[in-house]
Amino acid sequence: MALTRLGLNQAINLATNTTGTLAVANGGTGLASGTSGQFLKFTGTTTLASASSGKIAQVIEDAETGHSTINSTTYADVSLQATITPSATTSKVLVMANLNNIKINSSSGGNVQIRIQHDQGGSSFTNLAEYEGVVGYNDNDVNNPSPMFLHSPSTTNAIIYKVQAALLTGFSSGSARFNNRNSDGGYIRSSLILMEVLA
């Protein structure tokens, strides 16, 4: 490093008074300001690499205010479906379902299983994740099961995600209703949210 000008009691202006590669000044961090809403990623030096890693590129939501009734041990749709098109093959998709007020209609109680499926080829849905243990009894509401899954689709084609449910084998005669009516006769809102996370 070479100093081009330095006088007694003169402050050093690093922008105009020095040449060459500069070390980090005493008390400094060597960090420039990052872009708003992004995480800073370090490379092992004081130089910042691209701050796009971990950035949320897009958010898609499907909200359902009507209800779906499941009355079989065969999986059926619960009216939550959304489509997202990743911007890069390295992106991940965070799938989050928020299922409100599942009413169990069974005198002896029963379990409901929930699964998230996806279709990224345009031909058929395949299982992505399955969850069990939503338990309830006659006329009781089960609040807010929220299955989530982090998917690595490795594609920039459109991907469809949906939520399905089924009664577990052994469930006595009855049904499970999603988005059960509340006391004022309206519906409780459920949703399916898709978030693209950049690599």
Side-chain angles (χ1 to χ4, degrees):
M1 179 180 70
L3 295 176
T4 59
R5 182 168 56 120
L6 183 60
L8 184 62
N9 297 325
Q10 177 185 347
I12 299 176
N13 186 326
L14 297 181
T16 60
N17 292 355
T18 60
T19 59
T21 301
L22 301 177
V24 178
N26 290 343
T29 63
L31 300 180
S33 60
T35 302
S36 176
Q38 296 183 352
F39 295 103
L40 300 180
K41 184 171 81 173
F42 295 93
T43 62
T45 68
T46 54
T47 302
L48 287 179
S50 170
S52 63
S53 179
K55 179 181 177 183
I56 302 301
Q58 57 177 316
V59 178
I60 306 294
E61 181 189 29
D62 178 43
E64 178 58 52
T65 56
H67 69 262
S68 301
T69 300
I70 305 299
N71 53 21
S72 171
T73 55
T74 300
Y75 274 105
D77 296 345
V78 295
S79 301
L80 286 174
Q81 180 172 302
T83 302
I84 192 170
T85 303
S87 59
T89 57
T90 54
S91 293
K92 298 181 184 297
V93 178
L94 180 59
V95 185
M96 300 180 291
N98 182 34
L99 305 168
N100 277 303
N101 285 79
I102 305 173
K103 182 177 182 179
I104 304 297
N105 293 311
S106 171
S107 59
S108 60
N111 289 21
V112 179
Q113 53 192 5
I114 299 167
R115 73 181 182 186
I116 297 173
Q117 289 201 310
H118 77 295
D119 173 15
Q120 62 188 69
S123 57
S124 62
F125 283 90
T126 56
N127 203 28
L128 190 63
E130 185 170 288
Y131 309 85
E132 296 184 4
V134 180
V135 183
Y137 293 89
N138 195 39
D139 292 329
N140 285 342
D141 289 345
V142 182
N143 289 310
N144 300 331
S146 302
M148 298 194 317
F149 190 83
L150 185 61
H151 186 209
S152 300
S154 301
T155 184
T156 55
N157 295 329
I159 312 167
I160 306 170
Y161 295 90
K162 70 177 181 179
V163 180
Q164 291 192 320
L167 308 181
L168 277 173
T169 303
F171 197 112
S172 61
S173 59
S175 63
R177 185 165 71 173
F178 289 74
N179 275 8
N180 185 50
R181 285 183 182 272
N182 60 21
S183 58
D184 63 4
Y187 289 105
I188 303 298
R189 183 178 182 272
S190 291
S191 63
L192 174 64
I193 299 175
L194 311 176
M195 302 175 67
E196 181 189 356
V197 183
L198 298 180

